[in-house]
Amino acid sequence: MKADYTVGEVELTYKSTSKARSKIYSSEDAYKYLLPTYKEGTICYKEYFKVLFLNQSNQVLGYTLISEGGITETCADVRIILQAALLTNSVAIILAHNHPSGSMKPSRQDIEITKQVKDAARLMRITVTDHLILTDAGYYSFADEGQL
């Protein structure tokens, strides 16, 4: 008896909600774009990992929340990050997460996830242009600090 396997249809969609597109020229531009995406008071409350999607002109296609964690960590899945980047036809992405502690120093896990996403994205010809650690007082940029 032959087994019958059926696979459901998968529908992938991305709809841009913005007509005017911001351009990202620097880590400061990315910080200024992302900071308002944190509801007031939440940046010091718990960790959120977000990704900013860019086209070939460094214009923002959008952003998404990848994961929401606790006070000291959140788990970002490389596959979900790349799935979203491919869905939006992104040429480049900027990773971002906040440190509720207010520390702008990257942890070992921050450095690891940056490398994992960068290596995986390279296979898809997507560039990780930066990884920002945001606090309400400022930010740390992996690109500015030569960590990419």
Side-chain angles (χ1 to χ4, degrees):
M1 191 168 121
K2 190 178 140 213
D4 186 25
Y5 295 103
T6 58
V7 178
E9 183 182 344
V10 177
E11 185 180 330
L12 303 174
T13 61
Y14 156 71
K15 289 185 181 91
S16 178
T17 55
S18 170
K19 297 284 177 259
R21 295 212 167 120
S22 301
K23 246 188 164 174
I24 302 294
Y25 295 102
S26 66
S27 59
E28 188 179 354
D29 290 343
Y31 175 71
K32 285 179 178 170
Y33 185 92
L34 285 161
L35 196 59
T37 71
Y38 288 85
K39 288 187 193 91
E40 199 172 333
T42 61
I43 203 162
C44 299
Y45 175 58
K46 61 182 177 177
E47 243 182 65
Y48 299 90
F49 196 104
K50 299 182 180 190
V51 177
L52 200 55
F53 305 103
L54 307 172
N55 67 13
Q56 64 275 14
S57 303
N58 272 1
Q59 292 173 312
V60 176
L61 297 169
Y63 77 93
T64 194
L65 175 65
I66 296 294
S67 65
E68 193 175 315
I71 296 165
T72 57
E73 65 184 340
T74 185
C75 182
D77 191 322
V78 176
R79 293 165 293 192
I80 292 172
I81 293 168
L82 287 182
Q83 176 190 39
L86 291 168
L87 247 170
T88 55
N89 288 328
S90 297
V91 171
I93 58 175
I94 295 173
L95 309 174
H97 75 284
N98 63 306
H99 278 178
S101 66
S103 167
M104 290 183 237
K105 187 178 184 320
S107 68
R108 187 179 47 77
Q109 291 97 326
D110 295 342
I111 294 164
E112 262 172 45
I113 191 71
T114 305
K115 184 185 177 345
Q116 288 172 3
V117 174
K118 191 177 162 195
D119 292 349
R122 188 182 298 123
L123 292 172
M124 306 292 172
R125 298 179 60 203
I126 297 168
T127 307
V128 175
T129 57
D130 209 342
H131 183 170
L132 299 179
I133 297 170
L134 300 94
T135 71
D136 53 358
Y139 67 95
Y140 176 93
S141 161
F142 277 68
D144 294 353
E145 299 298 326
Q147 294 245 356
L148 270 180

